[in-house]
Amino acid sequence: MAAQPIADNLFTEDMSALIGARNKETGQIFFPLPLTESDHIEPVALASRGTVWTYTVQRFPPKTPYAGPTDPETFKPYVVAYVELPGQTMVESRLTGIEPEDVRIGMEVELTAIPLDPDAPAEDQKLIHAFRPV
Amino acid sequence: MSDVYIVGAGIHPFGRTEGRDGMDQGVFAVKQALADTDIDWKDIEFAFGGSAASGAADTMVSKLGLTGIQFINVSNGCATGGSALNAAASSIKSGEYDIGMAVGFDKHPRGAFNADPGSYGLPNWYGEAGYMLTTQFFGAKIMRYMHENNLSNETLGRVAEKAFRNGAKTDHAWRRSEVDLETIMNAPMISDPLNKYMFCSPAEGAVALILASEKKAKELGGPMIKLKTSVMRTRPPGSFEVFAASIDVERGGTATELASQAAFEQAGMGPEDIDVAQLQDTEAGAEIMHMAENGFCAHGDQEQWLREGRTEISGELPVNTDGGCLACGEPIGASGLRQVYENVVQLRGTAGERQVPDDPKTAYTQVYGAPGVSAVTILQR
């Protein structure tokens, strides 16, 4: 079995977009889809391209409930950004394919999926969302 | 309507106290406040109190005496202490009571707060994928703020340097050693642009304040420190809070701006009337943002303010004279009341080495935290 998304209702079926939520009454779009269904919330495919609005770097291995690699010797810091999807919302997401030192606010990025633990056997891999420079 | 005065103040030193739980630190602070006021526990007519992690405040009656007192627990996230004070002040303003107490205490385990996604309405993957860290929020928020306002990382370092300098002069502080700017700037990064000297840590501590009506305060005969106003507000639309998997493209105001504006309006004062301020500094960036959100300077002017030392104890607006959260740590239930305690000491003129010069008359506090709450007080002597 190939790597699977870390959760249902995170990506669209073809993995080309994240699933956001739209409030039918106010028009507000947010992410992710709420855990419980509600009459005034509908799923919406979010834009797959946007720009970095802000970011930070996770420099130390997180504690539980983090399920990625936590060995302090080999831990690789990761970038956490808010990516502005124009006219929709700003999604919190990792950045991939770029070193922390090279990240700039305003840079263009596009959606992809990366394994939470790249060293895990393929069948155990969980895919999380990330954006990479265009 | 009676005016409200703070007639007594007690504090249990912040930091780490092995062998004494959060509640007992609360009892310690209450006893010190009673001694400070020169009254007994039986003289207290009511109390509001709270902690985030150390149990229900009202159970401290078993340690203080079963006087039958009205004792109401407050649970309001990071504004727990501020809300307790607010409620206590209202009880006196209304004329229902003449003397009462607000108490806050806590004892948190070491290290960053460990949060569960479910309790924030978030799916489990949010935690599993590595987003459930308050430190990331603070880093991302100040990163944007510094970008928009053209502030340098060194400005963050100056806030931390000042905090430890003031903490070194403060009996109740946890971090009591100065750290120079170069050491601060070269420390390991935690969540960019914030490094290990720029974050406060969860800690322990307790504060108790005794409030009285004007009539009662005069009877007691101590220094008359008036609580001009005490305001608590929750977040408006478009604010940027912790554990947000998404934020609106359209940006809005902050809970602090709402609380600050309401407080100044109620007090009939402006930021220019304040002689000393204690501002929430969960991390160095928070103090910078809060200088502007509370109206003390324009957004973007903080770099110049800090470089010129305007927020030092000897400056025109001393900020966080006891070292703030950076030097004292953050026991959630006690943190907002610590700020008020420090202002009481400053207005009485008994702050010793860290005393703000020239006889300060007005003092301001602002606490901010999860889930987007802010509480402001203004004291006047």
Side-chain angles (χ1 to χ4, degrees), chain B residues 1-8 37 39 42-48 69-70 87-102 209-220 224-225:
Chain B
M1 243 175 57
S2 172
D3 285 333
V4 180
Y5 290 81
I6 298 183
V7 293
T37 321
I39 57 172
K42 65 173 171 43
D43 301 321
I44 299 290
E45 297 171 342
F46 71 94
F48 286 88
I69 184 176
Q70 169 187 298
S90 294
S91 301
I92 288 170
K93 246 189 285 183
S94 73
E96 193 179 357
Y97 292 107
D98 274 319
I99 188 161
M101 182 183 79
L209 300 172
I210 295 175
L211 285 71
S213 63
E214 182 166 14
K215 179 170 150 277
K216 186 77 185 174
K218 281 183 177 156
E219 250 173 62
L220 290 164
M224 296 289 281
I225 309 289

Side-chain angles (χ1 to χ4, degrees), chain A residues 54-132:
Chain A
T54 190
Y55 70 98
T56 186
V57 185
Q58 180 59 39
R59 295 278 177 183
F60 60 91
K63 294 192 275 192
T64 55
Y66 182 57
T70 54
D71 181 349
E73 297 298 312
T74 55
F75 178 77
K76 197 170 177 303
Y78 56 87
V79 178
V80 172
Y82 281 88
V83 175
E84 180 169 354
L85 308 174
Q88 292 190 322
T89 187
M90 296 199 268
V91 168
E92 192 177 17
S93 172
R94 288 202 194 191
L95 298 187
T96 188
I98 185 166
E99 293 304 315
E101 296 68 44
D102 299 328
V103 178
R104 295 289 176 270
I105 287 174
M107 71 192 304
E108 269 195 79
V109 290
E110 65 182 3
L111 180 69
T112 184
I114 57 169
L116 178 56
D117 180 0
D119 297 327
E123 65 271 20
D124 293 339
Q125 274 184 8
K126 304 262 188 253
L127 296 176
I128 60 171
H129 69 287
F131 282 77
R132 65 182 173 210

